[in-house]
Amino acid sequence: MMVNAALRPLTVKAGALRRQGYVPAVLYGAHIASLHVSIQEKDLVNLFDHVTRSTPVEVRVDGKDTYHVFLKDIQVHPVTARFLHLDLYVADPDRPLEMHVPVRFLGTARGIRDGGILEAVHPYIPVQAMPAQMPARIEVDVSNLGVGDSILIKDLPWAEGVQPLPPPEDAVVAVVARRALEVEAPVAEEAEVAPVEGEEEKPTGGDKAGA
């Protein structure tokens, strides 16, 4: 993926750039001086439809120099969700990187149809790779997973040059049984109520003693 950028003088305020449809950004890395640039917002919207944070992106500045970058930090407006600022990391092409690569789960696990739940143990997997070999995402087909089945780190077809960092026996995804909590309402024991013995009824009328 490639996006165009333009050098921007620091005297230009970020708010003014945004009102003109541009987003301020900075390119930085261990082997270059920081570059302050602006990128058209519409180009960024299109870019983010196709990339992840681990996707190498080409940034062409003023139509001349091209830099291979990764999206390091993205600031968005909390209400409008529009881009406010980007930090773009220029990777050293000769040194490996460690990044968290997102996992995309494909298909519907058959265990779900049997009442199980798909548990994403590793929605992101930390890997080490050279910048040019860094995967944008890791696709995992879960269609054949039944209840109690899992896919481990070692089960994935890792590309040459990509080293997963978690232990090989770590689960990436699993289908677990749905454990419904059966809450039994306590049954109140009926107390035996002993009949109350009443006082014997005294006669209301009696023989009066004669004088």
Side-chain angles (χ1 to χ4, degrees):
M1 296 296 297
M2 192 272 293
V3 67
N4 290 307
L7 285 174
R8 62 180 175 92
L10 295 180
T11 54
V12 179
K13 300 296 184 181
L17 281 174
R18 297 187 192 104
R19 286 192 293 271
Q20 297 172 15
Y22 289 86
V23 178
V26 60
L27 279 71
Y28 70 97
H31 60 291
I32 70 163
S34 296
L35 296 175
H36 296 272
V37 300
S38 60
I39 303 172
Q40 283 196 337
E41 184 178 19
K42 64 179 183 179
D43 291 342
L44 287 177
V45 172
N46 179 64
L47 179 70
F48 275 77
D49 285 340
H50 300 90
V51 303
T52 69
R53 286 180 182 263
S54 60
T55 304
V57 177
E58 291 185 7
V59 176
R60 184 175 299 164
V61 179
D62 287 343
K64 301 175 184 178
D65 299 324
T66 299
Y67 300 88
H68 294 83
V69 307
F70 291 92
L71 303 170
K72 193 69 173 179
D73 186 61
I74 306 161
Q75 297 177 26
V76 297
H77 193 280
V79 177
T80 65
R82 295 181 65 179
F83 295 110
L84 296 177
H85 190 274
L86 300 179
D87 286 356
L88 306 175
Y89 178 70
V90 182
D92 185 338
D94 299 320
R95 298 187 63 180
L97 284 176
E98 292 184 5
M99 301 196 74
H100 285 72
V101 179
V103 178
R104 174 186 288 175
F105 299 109
L106 305 177
T108 301
R110 57 183 175 83
I112 293 179
R113 294 189 290 269
D114 297 331
I117 301 173
L118 188 73
E119 181 180 5
V121 183
H122 275 294
Y124 292 84
I125 299 178
V127 306
Q128 184 181 76
M130 301 299 286
Q133 296 175 310
M134 186 65 66
R137 60 182 57 84
I138 299 166
E139 295 186 341
V140 179
D141 188 352
V142 300
S143 303
N144 293 323
L145 289 183
V147 176
D149 293 340
S150 62
I151 296 176
L152 309 181
I153 292 288
K154 67 179 183 180
D155 297 330
L156 300 181
W158 295 100
E160 184 178 356
V162 178
Q163 176 63 44
L165 299 181
E169 300 296 331
D170 270 17
V172 177
V173 61
V175 177
V176 297
R178 188 185 300 272
R179 294 178 177 86
L181 296 178
E182 297 181 359
V183 180
E184 295 185 0
V187 179
E189 295 184 359
E190 294 183 3
E192 294 185 0
V193 180
V196 178
E197 294 183 359
E199 294 181 353
E200 289 185 3
E201 186 176 351
K202 295 181 180 180
T204 57
D207 295 341
K208 293 183 180 180

